[in-house]
Amino acid sequence: MSDVFHSDLIILGSGPAGCTAAIYAARAGVQTALVQGMQPGGQLTITTEVENYPGFSEIIQGPWLMQEMQKQAENCGTEMKFDHIKEVQFSEDGSDVHKLIGESGQEYTCYSLVICTGASAKWLGIESEEKFMSKGVSGCATCDGAFFRNQDVLVVGGGNTAMEEALYLANGCKSVTMIHRRDEFRGEVVLRERVKKHEKINIIWNTELEEILGDDMGVTGAKLRNNQTGEVTEQNFMGVFIAIGHKPNTDLFKGKLEMDETGYLQVPAGTVHTKVPGVFAAGDVMDHTYRQAVTSAGFGCMAALDAARYLDERQQA
Ligand code: FAD
Ligand code: NAP
């Protein structure tokens, strides 16, 4: 593919941050293109019920919400690109043109870039986790829960994701065991109460996953270690769901943009601008504190307004 695709503004990512940035930029009259990435719609497409996104009095479905946001962005004039960016070259020659290269081979150029590449699930990194990946080990209950109907499953983690995964799995599984490395959940109080009250969910505190056990057919159980006493016990499970948080998708920007020690893009407090003129960051890729759909959307809005201002000033110069 040889033709270079140019748009004055390019947005990377189609989660709440990217879609909101696209809606605001396109409505401001900016020529806007959005590269969707490998997960069109972002993280909310792997969940079911969303009950905290403002504007809906009834519970809505995450994938539906993201379809609506993408349609809204398109209706406002955003050009959607089905690609995943593998390389970025920020302007260094004073030309103020940033270059991007997609997995498709397509080359893109823009004067302003809004990075909304979000975050992805983290893994424990133990050997048996990799060995049984997709053979009983999963990072998404809504995607794989149905395979474990009427079976015993294990959920690792203590945040909102782990609790939601456990509640979702409890609908169809025989039992759900949750292990958490501390003796208190990290997630919201309302979810904590639901999990604790659920008759099918058994919580084991101060406990970590030592090893996932299995055979040629897949997972059969797990070795659990109490991190207070050191005691290791074995239990039978057919599925193991790892729900221990997320890692920002910033590998693309290593050595090019400032990041903290865990890889989150760093921007000055209260802003969304990076150290590269015209390059902005919004959503879970730069926010490790709130990490919500609504806050990501808010940062997306800020980034679009700043990008529009940058492009305006650039044109006047
Ligand atoms: P993401 O949603 O992570 O989107 C990132 C986007 O970037 C994706 O489209 C991806 O394809 C794209 N991308 C990545 N790399 C590239 C690349 N190199 N090139 C191009 N594109 C790229 N929040 C709530 O407020 N309420 C909830 O009920 C809720 N439930 C959740 C349930 C689960 C299971 C999970 C995992 C999260 C949940 N969250 C919830 C958190 C919420 O989903 C996130 O805060 C939000 O999606 C972050 O939005 P984002 O746009 O920053 O990034
Ligand atoms: P999180 O809040 O970072 O929680 C991760 C959990 O996994 C923590 O309990 C952590 O333990 C544990 N953990 C991390 N590394 C571990 C390891 N190596 N071994 C064992 N346990 C480990 O991540 P999350 O639950 O994915 O949530 C991410 C964001 O999305 C949050 O902001 C959350 O509010 C949001 N979200 C919101 C909703 C909702 O609003 N309904 C739903 C899902 C997610 P410690 O507690 O000890 O650190």
Side-chain angles (χ1 to χ4, degrees):
M1 205 174 289
S2 57
D3 284 351
V4 175
F5 172 89
H6 176 85
S7 179
D8 290 351
L9 171 65
I10 293 186
I11 296 164
L12 295 190
S14 48
C19 288
T20 307
I23 293 162
Y24 273 80
R27 286 196 78 244
V30 172
Q31 184 191 27
T32 305
L34 183 152
V35 184
Q36 296 211 330
M38 281 179 192
Q39 190 179 45
Q43 291 171 64
L44 279 187
T45 59
I46 60 161
T47 190
T48 49
E49 297 183 346
V50 174
E51 58 181 322
N52 54 11
Y53 197 82
F56 304 95
S57 56
E58 304 287 333
I59 292 174
I60 53 169
Q61 298 294 307
W64 175 83
L65 177 63
M66 293 320 302
Q67 266 175 25
E68 289 298 306
M69 277 197 211
Q70 288 178 79
K71 271 195 246 165
Q72 191 179 357
E74 271 185 286
N75 291 347
C76 290
T78 305
E79 183 164 352
M80 291 290 177
K81 292 285 174 188
F82 302 95
D83 205 348
H84 186 87
I85 299 303
K86 64 173 185 183
E87 198 185 324
V88 177
Q89 293 161 13
F90 293 125
S91 148
E92 280 171 359
D93 56 3
S95 67
D96 77 0
V97 175
H98 307 298
K99 286 188 191 145
L100 315 170
I101 298 167
E103 293 283 357
S104 67
Q106 176 72 57
E107 196 176 318
Y108 302 83
T109 57
C110 60
Y111 301 130
S112 181
L113 181 71
V114 174
I115 301 166
C116 306
T117 49
S120 304
K122 279 203 292 202
W123 299 99
L124 290 168
I126 57 175
E127 213 180 300
S128 51
E129 178 186 56
E130 201 177 331
K131 184 172 169 195
F132 294 110
M133 189 66 68
S134 304
K135 293 181 192 151
V137 173
S138 169
C140 174
T142 45
C143 318
D144 300 326
F147 298 125
F148 303 97
R149 192 157 280 282
N150 298 322
Q151 292 172 0
D152 301 309
V153 296
L154 175 70
V155 174
V156 182
N160 278 341
T161 301
M163 292 192 285
E164 286 200 335
E165 301 265 278
L167 288 164
Y168 179 83
L169 290 164
N171 285 329
C173 296
K174 189 168 147 202
S175 78
V176 179
T177 299
M178 281 190 87
I179 58 168
H180 182 32
R181 63 184 177 182
R182 294 186 291 128
D183 61 0
E184 190 187 10
F185 283 130
R186 175 179 288 277
E188 283 171 8
V189 173
V190 61
L191 286 174
R192 292 182 202 192
E193 293 311 314
R194 266 184 232 164
V195 164
K196 284 177 185 166
K197 275 191 206 145
H198 203 293
E199 55 182 11
K200 279 201 207 167
I201 301 176
N202 172 35
I203 306 162
I204 312 180
W205 302 112
N206 299 316
T207 296
E208 293 175 41
L209 184 57
E210 175 105 341
E211 190 185 344
I212 299 166
L213 306 170
D215 55 26
D216 291 348
M217 302 296 287
V219 169
T220 55
K223 278 188 187 174
L224 310 179
R225 184 173 50 81
N226 182 306
N227 58 23
Q228 304 291 301
T229 63
E231 188 193 358
V232 176
T233 52
E234 269 186 40
Q235 281 195 34
N236 294 337
F237 303 107
M238 296 302 278
V240 174
F241 289 83
I242 310 292
I244 59 166
H246 291 81
K247 175 185 166 301
N249 297 319
T250 53
D251 287 354
L252 197 56
F253 309 107
K254 269 189 189 147
K256 297 183 176 175
L257 291 177
E258 283 172 19
M259 298 178 192
D260 69 10
E261 66 286 353
T262 49
Y264 283 90
L265 294 184
Q266 284 197 311
V267 294
T271 78
V272 287
H273 62 80
T274 70
K275 64 170 190 178
V276 180
V279 177
F280 305 90
D284 278 18
V285 74
M286 45 67 83
D287 163 40
H288 53 81
T289 311
Y290 302 106
R291 294 177 295 173
Q292 297 295 301
V294 68
T295 47
S296 294
F299 284 123
C301 162
M302 289 163 67
L305 295 177
D306 284 355
R309 204 166 298 132
Y310 171 84
L311 289 167
D312 207 27
E313 282 166 9
R314 181 190 167 276
Q315 214 173 15
Q316 317 263 320

